[in-house]
């Protein structure tokens, strides 16, 4: 497929022949282009750039929510708000670190689960032989288009102590927990079950020291039982959207290639692993990126179902930021939380992009660049002679 | 939850990107400059503790309330309309869907409603930020409000607003369970020992003796009965780790450990009233708001209300209240004060009590109220000896942390809970 284009077909490669009508038309075009994007720039500036700049400013002040944050009465406090979150010992740091811990486990559970499930559902829906595909597609997508508030309320009923889920569990002889009131960490419980430790009397080695205001025992808690419900809910509601993305990508895989692979003796798993999956790489990158961003920002479900409880095990940075801003008028801390969260998301998506980079494409690009350079060098040499 | 990213094709070359950024930055800077003008931070220096002359605008008021339902909305609307007709002003009553957030937006934007409900818990933060106009002392009949309630809305010797109404905690007893256990009116507990013993007697397999709501707003009552509290509301000092408090919390912990008492989540309830209504508990400690809930959700449950038992240091209960706040930014403070006066007359308070079951905040209305609602005598009696909520500014996170620790009261180390709140609250006050 990759036949190198012969140099002679390039019509536009000669040295520029001075100013021309073509150049002026280009300028006009640039101007027109700018005119066309101006509305978008203004809207983006008004609703994106300015609020971001304002929030950044607020994170360096002690603004109390009265009047403009740029007015003279607002004090600039430098990095104080960030220090309270990260270096200063105290409740604010403990709260923030607890929220990061919770959210970390949340992301760790939700992103792989929703990606794998979405891919699975999309693969199933992509089978030509499946009947009533339209129905299943709608059914799987349905949770994603339903309001998260409505679904959260339904889950509150489903997972109440005497709710449907516990009744079902009782049917098979399991005494279900009081889900939303249960702040026990699942890793603690798992370790207890496996005999690694006694969850009631945690080993002294893990409780003695503190890392950023929390003991290693607290860091290792895992998602609490209550948080597991939110994890389950979010996986269920987001899978549909991601399934749709995978489905679109799957329908793009040329059938001929798959057939060729089968003729070459690949079985279905191998076709999937070596033909379909590489084809899905950009979609996979998109899905995981969106998943990472969305899960680090989880707010609505926490706000409606648990308000951070029980025992702060469903506290997330986004909710903590809301709590500090709207309920305690400490806008500086709230804005600082938002920016730390931004940096976490930014760092993680960058890392993930790096891990997902297309090594072949990069190698190709490098080779191309080397070739260009060589050609240019040859041209200069030619001109000099 | 999922936010879609629109993927823009990458602009060609570095320079284009830089120009775009520069353009964006310039636009933003221009718009920012426009925002920084007078209109945006107008009145930034107003308010303050000194009693300033009230402003007098055109007299049309916006009243923001957090309504408990149609009955409350209608009652307030009618009262405001009557005032408007009498004085020739205008008053528009708006029901908030989320009053904290709406007020916050109003304060930040410089156009808050003129008159609004202020919860005792949020009061201090609003007051230190100069969002409230301290008008209370100018209200006619100011001395007639319950002193305990007035103190709740006083910060550094300035009373900012007058209490709208109040609620107190009392003991609710399920009559059927009470009689089944062979108890009579003489057995109604008046001391801690008696409370523990009747709770024990009432406990059966599927019914706990007492259900105690979560958090500081219930266990705090026992501290008051033992002569302690989270803070000293007079001096503003944090007094959580006092021996009286430890003793009180240990008493409650004992009730929980002996299974004489349970917390709502233990019986799968959201709050004490729910556990009481479903019959999962024979007694609960709730405020007068439980009346409406029982009427609406559990009309068949027969119950009596008694004052909370006395502790070693005498009677004690907790007060919950809201006040009529007037915005420091309001242009119609004069009219607003007149409206608040109208809304807090003894007659009007009795009318509110009849409409949606709140207790009048003025002593002059007490007699009338007790005559009309004899069953509520135990609630209103608390007005004399009740303790208002913690009202120091900046304690929100520390209090939230305290509540979250109190969820584990049954097994937790009482000393440690109190000590950690002491440390956190002291640190917060210093900030």
């Amino acid at each position: 497929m990759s036949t190198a284009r012969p140099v002679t077909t390039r019509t536009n490669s000669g040295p520029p022949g001075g100013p021309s009508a073509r150049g002026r038309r280009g300028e006009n075009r640039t101007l027109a282009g700018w005119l066309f994007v101006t509305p978008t720039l203004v809207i983006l500036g008004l609703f994106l750039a300015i609020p971001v700049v304002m929030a950044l400013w607020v994170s360096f002040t002690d603004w109390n929510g009265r009047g403009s944050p740029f007015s003279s009465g607002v004090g600039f406090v430098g990095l104080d708000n960030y220090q309270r979150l990260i270096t200063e010992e105290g409740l604010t740091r403990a709260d923030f670190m607890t929220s990061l811990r919770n959210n970390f486990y949340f992301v760790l559970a939700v992103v792989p689960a929703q990606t794998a499930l979405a891919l699975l559902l999309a693969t199933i829906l992509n089978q030509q032989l499946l009947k009533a595909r339209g129905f299943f597609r709608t059914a799987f997508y349905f949770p994603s288009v339903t309001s998260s508030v409505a679904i959260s309320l339904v889950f509150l009923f489903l997972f109440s102590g005497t709710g449907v889920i516990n009744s079902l569990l009782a049917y098979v002889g399991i005494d279900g927990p009081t889900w939303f009131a249960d702040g026990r960490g699942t890793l603690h419980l798992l370790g207890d079950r496996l005999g690694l430790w006694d969850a009631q009397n945690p080993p002294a080695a893990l409780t003695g020291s503190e890392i950023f205001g929390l003991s290693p025992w607290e860091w290792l808690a895992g998602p609490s039982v209550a948080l597991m419900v939110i994890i389950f809910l979010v996986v269920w509601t987001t899978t549909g959207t991601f399934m749709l993305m995978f489905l679109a990508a799957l329908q793009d895989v040329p059938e001929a290639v798959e057939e060729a692979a089968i003729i070459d003796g690949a079985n279905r798993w191998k076709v999937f692993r070596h033909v379909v999956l590489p084809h899905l790489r950009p979609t996979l990158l998109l899905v995981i990126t969106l998943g990472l961003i969305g899960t680090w920002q989880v707010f609505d479900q926490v706000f409606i179902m648990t308000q951070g409880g029980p025992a702060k095990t469903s506290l997330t940075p986004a909710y903590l930021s809301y709590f500090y801003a709207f309920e305690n008028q400490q806008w500086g801390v709230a804005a600082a939380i938002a920016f730390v969260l931004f940096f976490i998301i930014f760092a993680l998506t960058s890392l993930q992009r790096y891990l997902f980079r297309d090594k072949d494409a990069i190698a190709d690009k490098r080779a191309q660049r080397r070739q260009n350079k060589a050609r240019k060098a040859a041209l200069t040499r030619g001109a000099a002679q | 939850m999922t936010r879609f990213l629109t993927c823009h094709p990458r602009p060609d070359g570095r320079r284009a990107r830089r120009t775009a950024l520069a353009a964006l930055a310039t636009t933003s800077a221009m718009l920012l400059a426009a925002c920084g003008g007078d209109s945006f931070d107008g009145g930034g220096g107003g308010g303050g503790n000194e009693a300033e002359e009230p402003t007098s605008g055109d007299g049309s008021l916006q009243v923001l309330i957090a309504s408990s339902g149609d009955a409350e909305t209608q009652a307030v609307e009618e009262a405001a309309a009557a005032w408007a007709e009498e004085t020739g002003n205008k008053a528009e009553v708006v029901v908030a869907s989320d009053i904290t957030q709406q007020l916050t937006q109003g304060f930040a934007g410089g156009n808050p409603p003129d008159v609004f409900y202020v919860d005792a818990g949020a009061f201090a933060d609003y007051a230190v930020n100069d969002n409230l106009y301290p008008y209370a002392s100018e209200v006619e009949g100011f001395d007639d409000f319950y002193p305990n309630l007035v103190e709740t809305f006083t910060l550094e010797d300035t009373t900012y607003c007058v209490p709208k109404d109040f609620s107190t905690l009392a003991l609710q007893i399920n009559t059927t369970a009470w009689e089944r256990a062979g108890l009579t009116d003489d057995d109604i507990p008046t001391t801690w020992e008696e409370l523990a013993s009747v709770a024990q007697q009432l406990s059966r397999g599927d019914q706990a003796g007492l259900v105690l709501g979560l958090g500081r707003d219930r266990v705090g009552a026992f501290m008051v009965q033992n002569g302690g509290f989270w803070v000293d509301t007079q001096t503003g000092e944090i007094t959580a780790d006092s021996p009286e408090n430890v003793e009180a919390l240990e008493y409650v912990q004992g009730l929980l450990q002996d299974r004489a008492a349970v917390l709502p989540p233990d019986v799968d309830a959201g709050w004490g009233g729910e556990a009481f209504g479903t019959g999962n508990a024979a007694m609960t400690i709730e405020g007068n708001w439980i009346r409406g809930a029982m009427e609406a959700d559990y009309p068949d449950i027969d119950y009596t209300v008694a004052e909370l038992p006395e502790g070693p240091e005498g009677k004690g209960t907790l007060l919950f209240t809201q006040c009529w706040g007037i915005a420091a930014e309001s242009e119609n403070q004069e009219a607003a004060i007149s409206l608040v006066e109208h809304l807090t007359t003894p007659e009007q308070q009795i009318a509110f009590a009849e409409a949606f079951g709140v207790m009048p905040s003025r002593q002059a209305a007490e007699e009338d109220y007790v005559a009309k609602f004899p069953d509520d005598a135990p609630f209103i009696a608390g007005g004399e000896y009740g303790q208002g909520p913690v009202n120091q500014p900046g304690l929100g996170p520390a209090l939230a942390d305290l509540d979250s620790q109190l969820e584990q009261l049954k097994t937790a180390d009482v000393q440690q809970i109190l000590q950690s709140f002491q440390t956190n609250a002291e640190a917060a006050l210093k900030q």
Side-chain angles (χ1 to χ4, degrees), chain A residues 274-296:
Chain A
H274 297 289
V275 177
V276 178
L277 211 52
H279 187 90
L280 290 181
R281 192 214 304 258
T283 317
L284 210 55
L285 178 74
L286 174 71
V287 165
I288 296 181
T289 307
L290 290 179
L292 270 180
I293 295 172
T295 47
W296 273 105

Side-chain angles (χ1 to χ4, degrees), chain B residues 71 75 347-358 368-369 372-373:
Chain B
E347 301 76 47
Q348 184 59 54
Q349 291 206 324
I350 291 289
F352 282 157
E354 282 171 339
F356 53 97
V358 291
D368 244 7
Y369 181 82
K372 282 210 163 73
F373 305 95

Side-chain angles (χ1 to χ4, degrees), chain A residues 296-318:
Chain A
W296 273 105
Q297 293 178 339
V298 58
F299 175 80
D300 344 3
Q301 291 84 358
V302 175
F303 179 70
I304 295 159
M305 299 204 287
T306 60
Q307 283 91 45
K312 295 191 178 172
T313 56
S314 65
L315 196 64
T316 64

Side-chain angles (χ1 to χ4, degrees), chain B residues 75-94:
Chain B
V76 177
E77 270 172 357
E78 273 168 22
W83 169 83
E85 192 155 323
E86 208 174 284
T87 59
N89 292 318
K90 265 191 253 163
E92 182 202 357
V93 177
V94 180

